[in-house]
Amino acid sequence: MLPPDQHNRSREGSSLVAALLDVKFERQVTPILVRWVYMAALVVVSFGVLFGLLWVWSFASWMGAAIWLAAPIVIGLGLVVLLVVRIACERVLASFRVRVPPPAPAPPVQYAPPPPPGR
């Protein structure tokens, strides 16, 4: 890593805007975007589970306490969705971090010139 100077800013304070404006491509945007996607998914799933539990509560007050048996299903579905989002985010990060170098080209084959005719 190069020391910071007037053109090459240090990695501290790296934000999405700074990574997008990095014309030397020294910062990666993907980890920042994946972090935001996962946080958004966490918020959406949390509100979905909360809404589902409120829905179970409203049905329990109307239909009886047996409907509370659906509460673990709602929580479990939220955890499964969050797990799938987490695995997808980790897969995206792993695919961008793994850089397999291309195979080295085969050395050219040196053929000996054919012997001159008649010798």
Side-chain angles (χ1 to χ4, degrees), residues 5-68:
D5 61 9
Q6 64 183 5
H7 301 292
N8 182 21
R9 306 270 192 267
S10 67
R11 287 185 152 268
E12 292 139 22
S14 67
S15 64
L16 181 60
V17 175
L20 287 174
L21 296 177
D22 180 25
V23 294
K24 291 184 179 181
F25 292 96
E26 293 172 347
R27 294 184 189 118
Q28 290 187 349
V29 176
T30 308
I32 299 169
L33 289 177
V34 167
R35 184 180 316 138
W36 282 100
V37 167
Y38 184 69
M39 287 178 15
L42 185 62
V43 168
V44 168
V45 168
S46 298
F47 279 125
V49 168
L50 182 65
F51 178 75
L53 289 176
L54 288 173
W55 182 74
V56 167
W57 178 49
S58 70
F59 273 134
S61 65
W62 178 50
M63 297 171 65
I67 199 71
W68 276 108

Side-chain angles (χ1 to χ4, degrees), residues 72-89:
I73 295 171
V74 170
I75 294 171
L77 283 175
L79 290 175
V80 167
V81 168
L82 199 58
L83 180 66
V84 168
V85 170
R86 176 68 184 217
I87 291 172
C89 288

